[in-house]
Amino acid sequence: MLLILGLGGAIISTVLIAIYTSIGVNMNQYGWLGSIAILIFLFVWYRNKLQFSGWYTGNGRDKLPKKVSQALILC
């Protein structure tokens, strides 16, 4: 999970920063907000989809409640 969040977050953040910089948006002051949003999105995606496609079959493999998923994505 940490590998997915770390690597996926870094790659997507780099792409997002490059896109915003190319259209002239200043990412120096609030660029970290986009990175946090990406990490929250990856966390929700992992908990609702990716954890069920892997080899791990232990305890704690529950989806996030629908309202929690919606609240995190809206943030």
Side-chain angles (χ1 to χ4, degrees), residues 7-70:
L7 223 89
I11 292 170
I12 296 171
S13 291
T14 303
V15 171
L16 183 69
I17 289 171
I19 290 170
Y20 280 146
T21 304
S22 70
I23 60 174
V25 176
N26 184 8
M27 295 294 291
N28 292 331
Q29 189 172 5
Y30 297 111
W32 58 273
L33 285 174
S35 298
I36 289 176
I38 290 168
L39 290 177
I40 291 172
F41 176 74
L42 288 174
F43 173 73
V44 171
W45 187 38
Y46 175 80
R47 284 293 306 262
N48 289 340
K49 297 287 181 194
L50 295 180
Q51 75 175 344
F52 301 109
S53 64
W55 51 269
Y56 179 71
T57 58
N59 294 334
R61 288 182 32 144
D62 297 330
K63 286 186 174 184
L64 290 173
K66 188 173 183 176
K67 291 194 182 238
V68 172
S69 294
Q70 290 173 347

